[in-house]
Amino acid sequence: MSAPGWSVPRLTLALFPFGWGAMAVNVFFASLIGSWVGLPVLGTWPSAALGALIALPATWAFARHIRHLIDRAEEGRT
């Protein structure tokens, strides 16, 4: 029997836009720090593209954590 509520893939899909934005900002700021040692500063599109790549596994891990918390809360309610 499956757990009630949203599955991990569905949570990942719902949270992905937020994770993508957060990771894109982090990549951009990391490139600004990298400019102190001579690395190039990434623009909007490269930051967004790299942020999307990083966001997928990060958002999946976060969705698993949220699903675990939901399961624990459901156990306590019975």
Side-chain angles (χ1 to χ4, degrees):
M1 187 167 127
S2 64
W6 288 30
S7 65
V8 172
R10 190 171 176 189
L11 282 169
T12 302
L13 188 61
L15 295 172
F16 181 74
F18 302 104
W20 184 3
M23 291 301 152
V25 169
N26 287 337
V27 166
F28 176 71
F29 283 128
S31 75
L32 287 177
I33 292 171
S35 72
W36 298 347
V37 294
L39 297 174
V41 175
L42 295 177
T44 304
W45 292 110
S47 295
L50 193 54
L53 289 175
I54 297 169
L56 190 58
T59 306
W60 178 77
F62 183 67
R64 282 192 59 201
H65 174 66
I66 294 298
R67 182 70 243 175
H68 173 71
L69 292 177
I70 292 170
D71 291 341
R72 283 186 54 196
E74 290 294 325
E75 287 174 4
R77 203 178 351 161
T78 58

